[in-house]
Amino acid sequence: MDAAQMSALPPLYAGWMDEFLGAPIPGEAPSTCSDCAMCAPPGVPTDATLLYNPATKCCTYLPRMWNFLAGRVLADHSPESAAGRATLELRLDAGVAVTPMGLEQTPIFTLHYAQARHHFGRVGTLRCPHYLPESGGLCGVWRHRESTCATWFCKHERGAVGERFFNQLHRLLVTAEMALARWAVLELDIGAEALGLIFPLPTPQPTAMTPEDFDGRVDRLLYRRRWGHWAGREREFFAAAERLVGGLRWAEVRRIAGPELQAHERLVKEAHGRLLSDVLPERLRAEPIKMEQQGPDMSRVGTYSHVDPLSVPNELIGVLHYFDGRTTTEAILAIEDEARLRLEPGLVQRLADFGILKEVEGG
Protein backbone atom coordinates (compact mmCIF):
# COMPACT_ATOMS: atom_id res chain seq x y z
CA MET A 1 0.00 0.00 0.00
CA ASP A 2 1.64 3.25 -1.12
CA ALA A 3 1.48 6.70 0.43
CA ALA A 4 -1.28 7.90 -1.88
CA GLN A 5 -3.50 4.99 -0.88
CA MET A 6 -2.74 5.50 2.80
CA SER A 7 -3.74 9.17 2.60
CA ALA A 8 -7.03 8.71 0.70
CA LEU A 9 -10.37 8.93 2.47
CA PRO A 10 -12.51 5.78 2.64
CA PRO A 11 -14.65 5.38 -0.49
CA LEU A 12 -17.93 6.50 1.13
CA TYR A 13 -16.43 9.69 2.55
CA ALA A 14 -14.31 10.34 -0.54
CA GLY A 15 -17.47 10.42 -2.67
CA TRP A 16 -19.14 12.86 -0.28
CA MET A 17 -16.12 15.17 -0.19
CA ASP A 18 -15.83 15.12 -3.98
CA GLU A 19 -19.41 16.39 -4.13
CA PHE A 20 -18.89 18.95 -1.37
CA LEU A 21 -15.45 20.38 -2.15
CA GLY A 22 -15.31 19.86 -5.90
CA ALA A 23 -11.51 19.80 -5.65
CA PRO A 24 -8.95 17.20 -4.57
CA ILE A 25 -7.71 16.66 -1.05
CA PRO A 26 -3.90 16.40 -1.24
CA GLY A 27 -2.38 13.25 0.20
CA GLU A 28 -0.04 13.25 3.18
CA ALA A 29 2.98 11.46 1.74
CA PRO A 30 5.18 11.89 4.87
CA SER A 31 2.64 9.96 6.96
CA THR A 32 3.00 6.27 6.10
CA CYS A 33 1.76 2.99 7.59
CA SER A 34 3.34 0.15 5.64
CA ASP A 35 6.74 1.70 6.41
CA CYS A 36 5.85 3.69 9.52
CA ALA A 37 7.64 7.04 9.72
CA MET A 38 7.27 7.04 13.51
CA CYS A 39 8.61 3.61 14.42
CA ALA A 40 11.85 3.30 16.35
CA PRO A 41 14.82 2.05 14.32
CA PRO A 42 16.23 -1.35 15.36
CA GLY A 43 18.14 -1.14 18.63
CA VAL A 44 16.50 2.11 19.79
CA PRO A 45 14.29 1.60 22.89
CA THR A 46 10.84 2.94 22.09
CA ASP A 47 10.13 4.12 25.64
CA ALA A 48 13.23 6.33 25.53
CA THR A 49 12.03 8.29 22.50
CA LEU A 50 8.95 9.98 21.10
CA LEU A 51 8.76 7.26 18.46
CA TYR A 52 6.11 4.55 18.28
CA ASN A 53 6.28 0.88 19.10
CA PRO A 54 6.54 -1.14 15.85
CA ALA A 55 4.05 -3.61 17.36
CA THR A 56 1.39 -0.91 17.67
CA LYS A 57 2.32 2.00 15.39
CA CYS A 58 -0.33 4.71 15.83
CA CYS A 59 -3.07 2.11 16.33
CA THR A 60 -3.36 2.52 20.13
CA TYR A 61 -6.95 3.66 19.68
CA LEU A 62 -10.32 1.92 19.58
CA PRO A 63 -12.41 3.34 16.72
CA ARG A 64 -16.14 3.76 17.05
CA MET A 65 -17.60 1.74 14.19
CA TRP A 66 -20.90 3.51 13.50
CA ASN A 67 -23.84 1.29 12.56
CA PHE A 68 -23.63 2.01 8.83
CA LEU A 69 -19.84 1.50 8.80
CA ALA A 70 -20.21 -1.83 10.60
CA GLY A 71 -22.68 -2.78 7.88
CA ARG A 72 -20.15 -1.84 5.20
CA VAL A 73 -17.46 -4.00 6.78
CA LEU A 74 -19.83 -6.96 7.05
CA ALA A 75 -20.91 -6.53 3.43
CA ASP A 76 -17.32 -6.39 2.13
CA HIS A 77 -16.59 -9.96 1.05
CA SER A 78 -13.48 -9.21 -0.96
CA PRO A 79 -10.62 -11.61 -0.16
CA GLU A 80 -8.36 -8.80 1.07
CA SER A 81 -11.00 -7.75 3.61
CA ALA A 82 -11.59 -11.19 5.11
CA ALA A 83 -9.16 -10.83 8.02
CA GLY A 84 -10.50 -7.40 8.93
CA ARG A 85 -14.11 -8.54 8.71
CA ALA A 86 -13.25 -11.35 11.12
CA THR A 87 -11.99 -8.81 13.68
CA LEU A 88 -15.33 -7.00 13.53
CA GLU A 89 -17.19 -10.29 13.89
CA LEU A 90 -15.24 -10.98 17.09
CA ARG A 91 -16.32 -7.63 18.54
CA LEU A 92 -19.91 -8.38 17.59
CA ASP A 93 -19.80 -11.81 19.18
CA ALA A 94 -18.34 -10.42 22.40
CA GLY A 95 -21.18 -7.88 22.55
CA VAL A 96 -19.29 -5.37 24.69
CA ALA A 97 -20.39 -1.82 23.82
CA VAL A 98 -22.38 -3.10 20.84
CA THR A 99 -25.50 -0.93 20.46
CA PRO A 100 -27.79 0.13 17.61
CA MET A 101 -25.51 3.17 17.21
CA GLY A 102 -22.64 0.86 16.34
CA LEU A 103 -19.63 -0.73 18.01
CA GLU A 104 -18.67 1.90 20.53
CA GLN A 105 -15.59 2.40 22.68
CA THR A 106 -15.70 0.11 25.69
CA PRO A 107 -15.74 1.71 29.16
CA ILE A 108 -12.49 -0.01 30.14
CA PHE A 109 -10.75 1.28 26.99
CA THR A 110 -11.95 4.82 27.71
CA LEU A 111 -10.59 4.57 31.24
CA HIS A 112 -7.20 3.24 30.12
CA TYR A 113 -6.89 5.65 27.21
CA ALA A 114 -7.44 8.67 29.46
CA GLN A 115 -4.52 7.54 31.63
CA ALA A 116 -2.18 6.48 28.82
CA ARG A 117 -2.83 9.01 26.05
CA HIS A 118 0.52 10.71 26.70
CA HIS A 119 2.12 7.38 25.70
CA PHE A 120 0.20 7.24 22.43
CA GLY A 121 1.65 4.74 19.98
CA ARG A 122 3.60 2.86 22.63
CA VAL A 123 1.08 1.03 24.87
CA GLY A 124 0.48 -2.50 23.60
CA THR A 125 -2.67 -3.11 25.66
CA LEU A 126 -4.39 -0.26 23.79
CA ARG A 127 -3.72 -1.72 20.35
CA CYS A 128 -6.75 -1.62 18.07
CA PRO A 129 -8.54 -4.96 17.60
CA HIS A 130 -8.58 -4.31 13.85
CA TYR A 131 -4.78 -4.09 13.67
CA LEU A 132 -3.45 -7.00 11.60
CA PRO A 133 0.03 -7.99 12.83
CA GLU A 134 0.33 -10.77 10.24
CA SER A 135 0.13 -8.14 7.47
CA GLY A 136 2.84 -5.95 8.98
CA GLY A 137 0.40 -3.92 11.01
CA LEU A 138 -2.11 -2.74 8.41
CA CYS A 139 -5.70 -1.84 9.29
CA GLY A 140 -8.29 -4.55 8.75
CA VAL A 141 -11.16 -2.09 8.25
CA TRP A 142 -9.18 0.49 6.25
CA ARG A 143 -11.73 0.90 3.44
CA HIS A 144 -14.50 1.59 5.95
CA ARG A 145 -12.66 3.37 8.79
CA GLU A 146 -14.35 6.10 10.79
CA SER A 147 -13.47 9.80 10.75
CA THR A 148 -10.80 9.82 13.48
CA CYS A 149 -8.67 7.24 11.72
CA ALA A 150 -9.47 8.72 8.30
CA THR A 151 -8.22 12.22 9.12
CA TRP A 152 -5.34 11.69 11.60
CA PHE A 153 -1.74 11.84 10.37
CA CYS A 154 1.49 11.88 12.34
CA LYS A 155 3.12 14.21 9.80
CA HIS A 156 1.79 16.73 7.29
CA GLU A 157 3.20 17.86 3.96
CA ARG A 158 2.25 21.45 4.81
CA GLY A 159 2.71 21.28 8.55
CA ALA A 160 0.18 23.21 10.62
CA VAL A 161 -1.81 24.16 7.50
CA GLY A 162 -2.45 20.49 6.75
CA GLU A 163 -3.10 19.66 10.39
CA ARG A 164 -5.70 22.42 10.62
CA PHE A 165 -7.49 21.24 7.49
CA PHE A 166 -7.71 17.63 8.61
CA ASN A 167 -8.83 18.68 12.10
CA GLN A 168 -11.66 20.67 10.54
CA LEU A 169 -12.48 17.78 8.20
CA HIS A 170 -12.64 15.43 11.19
CA ARG A 171 -15.16 17.71 12.92
CA LEU A 172 -17.27 17.80 9.78
CA LEU A 173 -17.24 14.03 9.30
CA VAL A 174 -17.85 13.09 12.93
CA THR A 175 -20.85 15.44 12.97
CA ALA A 176 -22.16 13.65 9.89
CA GLU A 177 -21.43 10.21 11.39
CA MET A 178 -23.31 10.93 14.61
CA ALA A 179 -26.32 12.38 12.79
CA LEU A 180 -26.50 9.54 10.25
CA ALA A 181 -26.17 6.82 12.88
CA ARG A 182 -29.00 8.40 14.89
CA TRP A 183 -31.10 8.83 11.76
CA ALA A 184 -30.65 5.15 10.91
CA VAL A 185 -31.71 4.16 14.44
CA LEU A 186 -34.90 6.20 14.06
CA GLU A 187 -35.63 4.93 10.57
CA LEU A 188 -35.21 1.29 11.60
CA ASP A 189 -37.48 1.57 14.67
CA ILE A 190 -35.80 -0.15 17.61
CA GLY A 191 -38.77 0.54 19.91
CA ALA A 192 -39.56 3.23 22.48
CA GLU A 193 -37.77 1.68 25.48
CA ALA A 194 -34.62 0.98 23.47
CA LEU A 195 -34.74 4.48 22.02
CA GLY A 196 -34.84 5.93 25.54
CA LEU A 197 -31.74 3.93 26.48
CA ILE A 198 -29.87 5.00 23.34
CA PHE A 199 -30.78 8.68 23.76
CA PRO A 200 -30.80 9.28 27.53
CA LEU A 201 -31.20 12.74 29.03
CA PRO A 202 -27.90 14.46 29.83
CA THR A 203 -26.69 13.86 33.39
CA PRO A 204 -24.31 16.08 35.37
CA GLN A 205 -22.06 13.14 36.25
CA PRO A 206 -20.77 10.36 33.98
CA THR A 207 -22.37 6.98 34.49
CA ALA A 208 -20.38 4.88 36.98
CA MET A 209 -18.69 1.79 35.59
CA THR A 210 -20.24 -1.54 36.55
CA PRO A 211 -18.40 -4.75 37.49
CA GLU A 212 -19.26 -6.03 34.00
CA ASP A 213 -17.59 -2.95 32.47
CA PHE A 214 -14.38 -3.56 34.40
CA ASP A 215 -14.34 -7.25 33.49
CA GLY A 216 -15.23 -6.74 29.83
CA ARG A 217 -18.50 -8.64 30.21
CA VAL A 218 -21.99 -7.89 28.95
CA ASP A 219 -25.10 -7.24 31.03
CA ARG A 220 -27.32 -9.39 28.82
CA LEU A 221 -30.61 -8.00 30.10
CA LEU A 222 -29.54 -4.40 29.46
CA TYR A 223 -28.08 -5.46 26.11
CA ARG A 224 -31.42 -6.90 24.95
CA ARG A 225 -33.31 -3.84 26.18
CA ARG A 226 -31.00 -1.54 24.21
CA TRP A 227 -31.57 -3.52 21.05
CA GLY A 228 -35.36 -3.59 21.41
CA HIS A 229 -37.13 -5.00 18.36
CA TRP A 230 -33.78 -5.92 16.79
CA ALA A 231 -32.35 -7.99 19.67
CA GLY A 232 -30.68 -11.07 18.22
CA ARG A 233 -30.60 -9.55 14.73
CA GLU A 234 -27.72 -7.13 15.16
CA ARG A 235 -26.00 -8.01 11.89
CA GLU A 236 -29.25 -7.52 9.99
CA PHE A 237 -29.65 -4.13 11.65
CA PHE A 238 -26.16 -2.98 10.64
CA ALA A 239 -26.76 -4.20 7.09
CA ALA A 240 -30.01 -2.23 6.96
CA ALA A 241 -28.25 0.89 8.31
CA GLU A 242 -25.63 0.58 5.59
CA ARG A 243 -28.33 0.36 2.92
CA LEU A 244 -29.93 3.54 4.25
CA VAL A 245 -26.74 5.58 4.49
CA GLY A 246 -24.62 4.11 1.72
CA GLY A 247 -26.78 5.51 -1.06
CA LEU A 248 -27.01 9.07 0.25
CA ARG A 249 -25.65 12.06 -1.66
CA TRP A 250 -23.92 14.83 0.28
CA ALA A 251 -26.94 17.13 -0.09
CA GLU A 252 -29.03 14.51 1.74
CA VAL A 253 -26.38 14.15 4.46
CA ARG A 254 -26.49 17.95 4.90
CA ARG A 255 -30.26 17.88 5.26
CA ILE A 256 -30.18 15.09 7.85
CA ALA A 257 -27.35 16.60 9.92
CA GLY A 258 -28.65 20.17 9.87
CA PRO A 259 -27.07 23.52 10.87
CA GLU A 260 -24.17 22.10 12.88
CA LEU A 261 -22.86 20.30 9.81
CA GLN A 262 -23.33 23.40 7.70
CA ALA A 263 -21.20 25.43 10.12
CA HIS A 264 -18.40 22.87 9.81
CA GLU A 265 -18.73 22.97 6.03
CA ARG A 266 -17.75 26.65 6.06
CA LEU A 267 -14.71 25.96 8.21
CA VAL A 268 -13.60 23.07 6.01
CA LYS A 269 -13.98 25.19 2.87
CA GLU A 270 -11.78 27.93 4.35
CA ALA A 271 -9.12 25.47 5.58
CA HIS A 272 -9.16 23.64 2.23
CA GLY A 273 -8.59 26.91 0.38
CA ARG A 274 -5.54 27.60 2.53
CA LEU A 275 -4.23 24.09 1.98
CA LEU A 276 -4.35 24.54 -1.80
CA SER A 277 -2.95 28.09 -1.77
CA ASP A 278 0.73 28.87 -2.23
CA VAL A 279 0.39 32.61 -1.55
CA LEU A 280 2.96 33.78 1.00
CA PRO A 281 1.65 35.67 4.04
CA GLU A 282 2.21 39.41 3.59
CA ARG A 283 4.11 39.75 6.87
CA LEU A 284 5.89 37.15 8.99
CA ARG A 285 7.55 37.14 12.38
CA ALA A 286 10.07 34.56 13.64
CA GLU A 287 8.79 32.46 16.53
CA PRO A 288 10.97 31.28 19.46
CA ILE A 289 12.30 27.85 18.53
CA LYS A 290 13.72 24.80 20.25
CA MET A 291 16.82 23.42 18.56
CA GLU A 292 18.89 20.27 18.75
CA GLN A 293 22.27 20.30 17.02
CA GLN A 294 22.57 17.54 14.40
CA GLY A 295 26.07 18.33 13.23
CA PRO A 296 28.23 21.29 12.29
CA ASP A 297 25.77 22.52 9.64
CA MET A 298 22.28 21.31 10.61
CA SER A 299 19.88 21.46 13.55
CA ARG A 300 16.59 19.76 14.33
CA VAL A 301 13.97 22.43 15.02
CA GLY A 302 10.69 22.02 16.87
CA THR A 303 7.57 22.89 14.88
CA TYR A 304 3.78 22.90 15.20
CA SER A 305 3.97 19.25 16.36
CA HIS A 306 6.44 17.49 18.62
CA VAL A 307 6.39 14.47 16.28
CA ASP A 308 7.03 16.47 13.09
CA PRO A 309 10.31 18.42 13.51
CA LEU A 310 12.33 19.89 10.65
CA SER A 311 16.02 19.60 9.91
CA VAL A 312 17.18 23.13 9.10
CA PRO A 313 20.60 24.49 8.00
CA ASN A 314 22.20 26.54 10.75
CA GLU A 315 22.83 29.25 8.18
CA LEU A 316 19.08 29.59 7.68
CA ILE A 317 18.40 29.73 11.42
CA GLY A 318 20.87 32.61 11.64
CA VAL A 319 18.74 34.87 9.41
CA LEU A 320 15.29 34.16 10.81
CA HIS A 321 15.45 37.36 12.88
CA TYR A 322 14.98 39.34 9.65
CA PHE A 323 11.36 38.23 9.73
CA ASP A 324 10.37 40.83 12.33
CA GLY A 325 6.98 41.97 11.07
CA ARG A 326 8.20 43.88 8.03
CA THR A 327 6.74 42.67 4.74
CA THR A 328 7.87 39.22 3.67
CA THR A 329 9.31 40.65 0.46
CA GLU A 330 11.35 43.20 2.42
CA ALA A 331 12.68 40.49 4.74
CA ILE A 332 13.73 38.24 1.83
CA LEU A 333 15.46 41.12 0.05
CA ALA A 334 17.26 42.21 3.24
CA ILE A 335 18.55 38.67 3.81
CA GLU A 336 19.84 38.49 0.24
CA ASP A 337 21.45 41.94 0.44
CA GLU A 338 22.96 41.79 3.92
CA ALA A 339 23.49 38.08 4.61
CA ARG A 340 24.19 37.08 1.01
CA LEU A 341 21.65 34.27 1.30
CA ARG A 342 18.86 33.85 -1.22
CA LEU A 343 15.65 32.33 0.10
CA GLU A 344 13.22 30.81 -2.38
CA PRO A 345 9.53 31.60 -1.70
CA GLY A 346 8.80 27.87 -1.33
CA LEU A 347 11.27 27.60 1.54
CA VAL A 348 9.79 30.62 3.30
CA GLN A 349 6.33 29.09 2.81
CA ARG A 350 7.51 25.85 4.42
CA LEU A 351 8.90 27.73 7.43
CA ALA A 352 5.52 29.45 7.80
CA ASP A 353 3.57 26.22 7.31
CA PHE A 354 5.51 24.53 10.10
CA GLY A 355 5.14 27.41 12.55
CA ILE A 356 8.77 28.54 12.58
CA LEU A 357 7.54 31.81 11.07
CA LYS A 358 4.16 33.17 12.09
CA GLU A 359 1.85 35.35 10.03
CA VAL A 360 1.40 38.85 11.45
CA GLU A 361 -2.30 39.59 11.35
CA GLY A 362 -3.42 43.02 10.20
CA GLY A 363 0.10 44.20 9.43
Side-chain angles (χ1 to χ4, degrees), residues 142-351:
W142 182 257
R143 287 209 295 252
H144 314 293
R145 64 199 187 281
E146 49 79 76
S147 60
T148 302
C149 297
T151 59
W152 188 90
F153 301 95
C154 59
K155 300 178 187 295
H156 294 273
E157 190 76 54
R158 292 204 55 189
V161 178
E163 181 185 54
R164 182 173 180 271
F165 167 72
F166 281 105
N167 283 343
Q168 295 292 359
L169 182 60
H170 175 240
R171 294 185 180 101
L172 173 76
L173 291 176
V174 77
T175 300
E177 288 170 332
M178 176 73 77
L180 292 171
R182 287 175 169 170
W183 175 72
V185 167
L186 291 172
E187 291 289 305
L188 295 173
D189 185 20
I190 60 175
E193 182 191 19
L195 201 61
L197 293 172
I198 295 296
F199 299 108
L201 291 172
T203 56
Q205 297 294 328
T207 304
M209 287 180 63
T210 66
E212 289 83 4
D213 291 334
F214 279 105
D215 291 339
R217 294 183 287 113
V218 179
D219 181 331
R220 288 297 171 183
L221 177 59
L222 180 58
Y223 180 91
R224 286 193 296 273
R225 291 175 62 203
R226 280 179 176 157
W227 275 96
H229 301 328
W230 288 84
R233 297 187 294 143
E234 295 84 350
R235 287 166 175 78
E236 293 178 44
F237 180 90
F238 291 144
E242 192 282 325
R243 288 193 294 272
L244 284 172
V245 174
L248 295 176
R249 304 295 298 268
W250 183 248
E252 297 168 298
V253 175
R254 181 188 295 119
R255 175 184 57 79
I256 292 167
E260 184 179 356
L261 183 80
Q262 294 162 33
H264 288 301
E265 282 184 319
R266 294 188 188 182
L267 296 172
V268 167
K269 278 277 193 182
E270 187 274 336
H272 186 249
R274 286 202 171 203
L275 184 64
L276 297 184
S277 173
D278 58 1
V279 176
L280 275 173
E282 184 178 354
R283 296 174 186 271
L284 290 165
R285 187 184 304 279
E287 290 287 281
I289 58 175
K290 294 182 179 180
M291 298 169 43
E292 177 186 343
Q293 197 77 16
Q294 287 187 301
D297 302 320
M298 301 289 290
S299 292
R300 187 184 300 275
V301 177
T303 65
Y304 73 101
S305 168
H306 73 285
V307 299
D308 199 7
L310 282 181
S311 291
V312 178
N314 294 333
E315 184 181 26
L316 176 57
I317 294 173
V319 299
L320 292 179
H321 66 275
Y322 281 90
F323 295 97
D324 54 9
R326 70 183 89 179
T327 69
T328 302
T329 300
E330 289 172 340
I332 293 173
L333 290 175
I335 291 170
E336 185 171 356
D337 183 51
E338 298 174 21
R340 298 291 186 265
L341 183 63
R342 183 176 181 180
L343 301 187
E344 295 294 335
L347 174 58
V348 178
Q349 182 73 70
R350 187 163 179 80
L351 295 174

Side-chain angles (χ1 to χ4, degrees), residues 9 14 17-27 165-166 272-273 275-276:
L9 290 174
M17 290 304 97
D18 284 345
E19 292 180 40
F20 165 50
L21 291 172
I25 296 175
F165 167 72
F166 281 105
H272 186 249
L275 184 64
L276 297 184

